[in-house]
Amino acid sequence: MKIALAQLNPTVGDFKGNTARILDHAKRAGEMGADLVVFPELAIPGYPPQDLLEDDNFLAHCQRSLDTIAQSTAQPGMPAILCGTALASAIRPGKRACNIAALCHGGKVQFVQQKMLLPFYDVFDEQRYFQPAESQSLVEFRGEILAITICEDAWNDKDFWSERLYANDPVERLLTCTLDGRKPTLLLNISASPYWEGKQQVRRSMIGAIAKRHGVPAAMSAQVGGNDSLLFDGASFVVNREGETVAVAKSFEEDLLLVDTALTHAQSIAPVVDDIVATWQGLAMGIRDYVRKCGFSKVLIALSGGIDSAVVAALAVDAVGKENVMGIGMPSEYSSSGSVEDALALAKNLGIHCEIIAIRDIFHAMDKGLKPLFAGTPFGLAEENMQARIRGTLLMSVSNKFGHLVLTTGNKSEMSVGYCTLYGDMVGALAVIGDVWKTRVYQLARYANREREVIPENTILKPPSAELRPDQKDTDSLPPYEVLDPILQAYVERYESAEEIMTSQGMDRDRVEQVLRLVERSEYKRQQAAPVLKVTAKSFGTGRRFPLAARTRQP
């Protein structure tokens, strides 16, 4: 049997558009000779639909779209279709929806498999919405006995994971049962698995281990594209009964991968994408899809001459094209001439339009207006943040006037310790590098310059500075980033204690405690930040939830 893995980039709630894309991919798969085309989890409504699942009308649209897709399989030349959707659940008491995989052929929905394991960790909320399957079964198609699973159902292998989250293992149950005396001959997993660094290898290894242990080939059809903060990398793949990867689809773009189930040796193997390359591709895709799916076409970026805004601008050009990117430099009296020159050089290298709006006069006008109230107080944080907020106001004014979407430029290190200004440099619709550590930003800058100088060398080499007061450097307030980032990674991403960090990194208590206090005190800022594109296993946003008024660490 020939199957096609159709990794789709759906828009949540766009039933007409998603259905059309499914039918187009299915038609193309049929022309390629596919007997069955396999689409990702929740391909019809798009993933993640979140509270839209509480709307009965939304679920009715899911059903109508599925009916349309099923009817199409009666047409000559159309292959069978396996796709994911949400449907209303009839179980009461229980949740109002179920997450299902529907096998359609001959003009009808011939088989439905309901998802059993519903993740409720990190960015996942599926137990909030879906009724879990009580049982699952095999299905015969074209002489093959199919074990159909949905994403998380395959992520609980006792021999792969040292710690499991569920008592049940749906894959184990399916692959050890029979249908009319026959064991499963093919494992299919439809997936909407958000990307994080290293995840491609985890998926291949996990499914490969299952296939090898049970002696059955397996295929995963994965969603691709950006939906809000989540990035889906695609890279759908097939492994043989020995657990060896024999075919892989493209990463970070739609693809249609045709494979014969009898394939035993490598057909089309794309290597696991390097983390820096994958991060760049993922962030560019995230910008592109966020802009497009939100109905915008052009973006606006504050160009400071620093490395963060430079990397975001380069990513934006990659994502939407230089003609759709506008930069604004907003120097103050504390901005160095070199920073202005670097911002202009970046704009020239990228070929983007750039305007310079000096904020000195605006700043002095605000300072004058506050002078009676601030009388007798020294220049300090209020005056520094005033400059950032002037810039934020100017950005949003230009955005309102011309309809450009503002991209924020703060990195994960700054967001962790609150080295950013609410209603200032934090304004915008999307935090592009909010899940990228500062030391990683430098690696992305080098990647941007892999073929020619895009980001000025001086931008990369000069000490980072907010330039909000004379001769300011980031190290005036923070440890060097090569010291800071490992502490933050341990605390923010791995939840290590101060003692564990001190022991593993050889840090003194005062420095570690200082950094951890900054993280705790800045939670209120992070909860008001723009959506962050997720590229690590633990990003700020829905996947990391902390209270504001709380003692988060105990003595």
Side-chain angles (χ1 to χ4, degrees), residues 74-252:
Q75 300 172 10
M78 281 291 277
I81 295 174
L82 176 65
C83 68
T85 189
L87 292 179
S89 173
I91 297 177
R92 294 292 181 271
K95 302 297 174 65
R96 64 194 310 134
C98 52
N99 185 340
I100 66 106
L103 178 61
C104 310
H105 61 93
K108 298 179 181 180
V109 176
Q110 302 287 359
F111 177 80
V112 169
Q113 189 84 293
Q114 186 174 339
K115 189 172 184 178
M116 182 174 287
L117 302 185
L118 303 176
F120 198 61
Y121 56 86
D122 194 48
V123 297
F124 303 106
D125 273 330
E126 293 190 31
Q127 290 181 30
R128 172 175 174 146
Y129 305 111
F130 293 122
Q131 182 70 22
E134 295 179 357
S135 63
Q136 294 178 329
S137 56
L138 304 172
V139 62
E140 189 273 339
F141 177 74
R142 295 286 180 93
E144 300 276 1
I145 304 299
L146 306 181
I148 298 172
T149 59
I150 305 174
C151 203
E152 189 81 356
D153 286 345
W155 288 73
N156 200 42
D157 180 6
K158 65 180 184 299
D159 292 326
F160 186 83
W161 300 104
S162 58
E163 295 183 11
R164 298 196 302 162
L165 297 180
Y166 315 93
N168 295 331
D169 183 350
V171 171
E172 180 81 17
R173 289 185 177 186
L174 284 171
L175 295 183
T176 53
C177 66
T178 61
L179 178 65
D180 297 330
R182 296 178 61 196
K183 293 182 177 180
T185 58
L186 180 63
L187 170 65
L188 295 176
N189 182 264
I190 65 171
S191 174
S193 176
Y195 168 79
W196 38 256
E197 293 171 355
K199 199 170 189 180
Q200 286 191 3
Q201 185 59 57
V202 171
R203 292 194 200 105
R204 294 191 201 179
S205 298
M206 177 186 70
I207 298 297
I210 293 171
K212 183 177 182 179
R213 187 168 70 256
H214 293 279
V216 60
M220 174 183 284
S221 182
Q223 179 172 309
V224 72
N227 279 330
D228 297 347
S229 293
L230 299 184
L231 306 176
F232 299 88
D233 55 310
S236 303
F237 63 92
V238 178
V239 298
N240 62 20
R241 63 180 66 252
E242 299 299 323
E244 301 165 334
T245 303
V246 295
V248 182
K250 296 175 183 177
S251 297
F252 300 105

Side-chain angles (χ1 to χ4, degrees), residues 280 301 303 305-319 321-322 325 339-352 441-461:
W280 184 277
I301 304 166
L303 299 182
I307 194 166
D308 296 322
S309 62
V311 167
V312 171
L315 282 163
V317 168
D318 196 352
K322 62 184 180 182
V325 179
S339 291
V340 177
E341 292 167 1
D342 290 341
L344 291 173
L346 172 74
K348 181 179 179 181
N349 293 347
L350 290 172
I352 65 174
V441 174
Y442 283 95
Q443 293 176 297
L444 290 176
R446 292 297 185 190
Y447 178 77
N449 287 358
R450 63 195 180 280
E451 296 177 355
R452 64 181 180 90
E453 184 174 282
V454 173
I455 296 174
E457 188 69 9
N458 187 57
T459 295
I460 298 174
L461 296 178

